[in-house]
Amino acid sequence: MLGPVNLTSLGIGAIIGAGIFVLTGQAAAKYAGPAIVYSFILAGLVCAFAGLCYAEFASMIPISGSAYTYGYATLGEFVAWIIGWDLILEYLFAASTVAVGWSGYVVSFLKDLGVVIPAAFTYAPYNHVTPPDAQWWNLWQLFAKGWVSTGAVLNVPAMLIVGVITILLVIGIKESANFNNVIVALKLAVILTFIGVGVAYINKGNWHPFVPPAIGPGEFGWSGVLRAAGVIFFAYIGFDAVSTAAQEAKNPQRDMPIGLLGSLAVCTVLYITVSLVLTGIVNYKQLNVSAPIAVAISTLGPSLAWLEYFIKIGAIAGLSSVILVMMLGQPRIFYTMSKDGLLPPIFSAVHPKFRTPWIAQILTGAVAMVVAGLFPIGLLGELVSIGTLLAFAIVCAGVFVLRFTDPQIHRPFRVPAFWLVAPLGVGFCIFLMAGLPADTWARLIVWMAIGIGIYFFYGRRHSKVQQRAAQTSRN
């Protein structure tokens, strides 16, 4: 059984990942400047509300699972489909996003060793710039227009790591608890070392102005802080791992809030400190790269070359484990949805030798490879963030509704002051979503429209629940 310390440690290990190594610098460079620290506080607050609601869901279902599983058991099939389709967006594009960040650190590390990969094979061939005359309601203008060529061919390292991990997952490799603990310790060591060394090299002039003046909607100023909070929400993905352990908590009513809020508090403090050190060492305008911490360390001089190697190796190892976890989770969601009849049976096919959902795994890997090779990290990170925020908003709303529609259901963990926490969770999620670019909204709307179409043309017709209901009515 897990106590509050174990749950807090679990949360810290799950949260520390791609966001801190990859998106922090870009969000500071493009949206918030040094005020990225306010963005982390806001994003952490949203996670606290959503996490408490997620924990109540998890405690009601006596199995470990995803928000899809919880939603199906408590809110019904259609809401579960929406959550599941949204989770596909989260996990699949998150793996691609982290792979692009992994590529940035690997390319930088190899360059230190004298191995230079041509730039044409280390960057996305396309980027997206929203047309200046774009209207928020014109989905075609936002979704399809504005793509520009960068001159690159493909991000080959990003595709390579996704391919390798896909093969490993198909043959059934698993992260052991000991290996995962080593990776978590290494990630924390890298971050604490960066903070400890970097503090001595801070130039306070880089923090002025702390909130850069706005140059457009969502570009610096307080609207930029809001947009950055939505973008770096990616940095908190994984905190819900604490809620999935609700059934193993010694005292869920007491320990779950401690584990959730404790891990969020520790990670928020770490993120704020890293952001301050990062923007203090290097002017925020220079951080729009896929390996911002590596860039900051490289400016400290040859005497700290050893630190640069350590930081990059730690980041590469940590990001590798995150890709593995994301790509391990996605096919399992496919598998569960297929078993419920909402997706074709091929998605639940298990390899006769390796006992893994191999077809779903290969499909996930193939799509993630293409996405990682073609698109820039900023665009991918925004997509993951908006998808995750939508899923959390639905979970918060679901907890609130269930307190009235099924008040007697057993809840080992109950959200304190649910009448306030759940609506605030919904409101803050929508608030952060509102700060994201209009073209990100357009992509989410198109993605969800495709998902709803699949549900009504295939999922609803083949649903095991719908088939049982029809059979019952005939009898």
Side-chain angles (χ1 to χ4, degrees):
M1 300 296 282
L2 301 176
V5 175
N6 302 108
L7 291 170
T8 301
S9 299
L10 176 66
I12 293 172
I15 295 169
I16 298 294
I20 193 66
F21 291 116
V22 179
L23 290 178
T24 304
Q26 290 201 338
K30 295 166 63 177
Y31 305 121
I36 188 72
V37 299
Y38 299 141
S39 303
F40 273 118
I41 294 171
L42 181 56
L45 183 64
V46 174
C47 283
F49 291 130
L52 290 171
C53 294
Y54 208 114
E56 179 165 311
F57 257 150
S59 72
M60 288 189 291
I61 314 299
I63 58 173
S64 295
S66 67
Y68 166 78
T69 306
Y70 310 144
Y72 207 119
T74 55
L75 296 173
E77 185 175 270
F78 181 68
V79 174
W81 169 268
I82 294 295
I83 296 174
W85 188 250
D86 206 35
L87 289 175
I88 293 171
L89 178 68
E90 175 186 340
Y91 280 99
L92 191 145
F93 283 88
S96 301
T97 307
V98 180
V100 176
W102 183 93
S103 172
Y105 279 95
V106 167
V107 169
S108 178
F109 181 68
L110 291 177
K111 185 178 180 181
D112 293 340
L113 300 178
V115 179
V116 179
I117 303 176
F121 297 101
T122 61
Y123 291 100
Y126 300 105
N127 202 350
H128 186 266
V129 179
T130 304
D133 58 341
Q135 304 295 323
W136 66 267
W137 45 264
N138 191 331
L139 294 183
W140 172 255
Q141 192 178 34
L142 290 168
F143 187 82
K145 290 187 175 182
W147 292 99
V148 295
S149 173
T150 65
V153 179
L154 282 174
N155 191 332
V156 175
M159 298 180 72
L160 180 63
I161 186 61
V162 172
V164 169
I165 288 180
T166 299
I167 294 171
L168 292 176
L169 289 173
V170 166
I171 65 176
I173 190 170
K174 296 181 180 179
E175 277 190 300
S176 69
N178 290 335
F179 174 73
N180 188 59
N181 290 339
V182 170
I183 294 297
V184 170
L186 183 58
K187 288 190 288 188
L188 287 174
V190 165
I191 291 170
L192 293 174
T193 302
F194 172 72
I195 292 171
V197 174
V199 165
Y201 293 86
I202 288 176
N203 175 6
K204 293 182 180 179
N206 289 328
W207 290 339
H208 299 288
F210 198 76
V211 181
I215 59 175
E219 294 183 72
F220 305 108
W222 289 105
S223 66
V225 171
L226 172 61
R227 177 165 294 182
V231 171
I232 55 90
F233 192 80
F234 184 94
Y236 286 100
I237 291 176
F239 83 95
D240 49 7
V242 178
S243 67
T244 62
Q247 295 297 321
E248 300 172 48
K250 291 178 181 178
N251 183 352
Q253 193 73 29
R254 178 181 66 92
D255 296 347
M256 290 305 296
I258 294 174
L260 280 162
L261 301 180
S263 58
L264 283 171
V266 170
C267 291
T268 300
V269 170
L270 285 175
Y271 285 172
I272 289 172
T273 309
V274 167
S275 300
L276 286 171
V277 173
L278 188 63
T279 55
I281 294 174
V282 180
N283 187 281
Y284 67 88
K285 297 176 183 178
Q286 302 175 34
L287 294 174
N288 190 18
V289 295
S290 57
I293 292 181
V295 168
I297 292 296
S298 66
T299 65
L300 302 184
S303 63
L304 289 174
W306 63 271
L307 178 59
E308 192 171 351
Y309 288 117
F310 175 63
I311 294 288
K312 291 175 183 176
I313 291 172
I316 291 167
L319 295 176
S320 299
S321 71
V322 173
I323 299 171
L324 189 146
V325 170
M326 293 296 176
M327 294 192 64
L328 181 69
Q330 175 57 66
R332 272 65 184 175
I333 295 173
F334 275 145
Y335 178 89
T336 305
M337 295 174 77
S338 176
K339 282 295 185 181
D340 291 334
L342 302 182
L343 289 175
I346 193 171
F347 286 95
S348 55
V350 176
H351 195 281
K353 178 180 179 182
F354 303 126
R355 310 307 301 168
T356 58
W358 66 289
I359 294 178
Q361 191 73 67
I362 291 173
L363 176 63
T364 298
V367 175
M369 280 182 70
V370 172
V371 172
L374 292 179
F375 300 110
I377 192 169
L379 183 151
L380 297 176
E382 289 167 6
L383 254 175
V384 174
S385 291
I386 198 170
T388 307
L389 285 164
L390 176 60
F392 288 167
I394 295 173
V395 167
C396 292
V399 165
F400 186 80
V401 170
L402 273 176
R403 286 296 189 97
F404 297 98
T405 59
D406 196 354
Q408 301 305 318
I409 191 172
H410 178 58
R411 295 173 170 88
F413 171 75
R414 301 172 68 90
V415 175
F418 80 94
W419 47 269
L420 177 64
V421 171
L424 282 176
V426 175
F428 272 108
C429 285
I430 295 174
F431 182 57
L432 290 194
M433 291 171 69
L436 289 166
D439 53 327
T440 302
W441 274 90
R443 295 183 191 102
L444 176 67
I445 292 170
V446 170
W447 176 261
M448 297 311 298
I450 292 171
I452 292 172
I454 292 174
Y455 174 74
F456 283 105
F457 283 102
Y458 181 90
R460 184 173 174 81
R461 295 181 181 183
H462 295 81
S463 163
K464 302 289 178 65
V465 171
Q466 299 294 337
Q467 289 174 0
R468 285 195 293 270
Q471 182 67 34
T472 301
S473 65
R474 285 195 295 268
N475 294 338

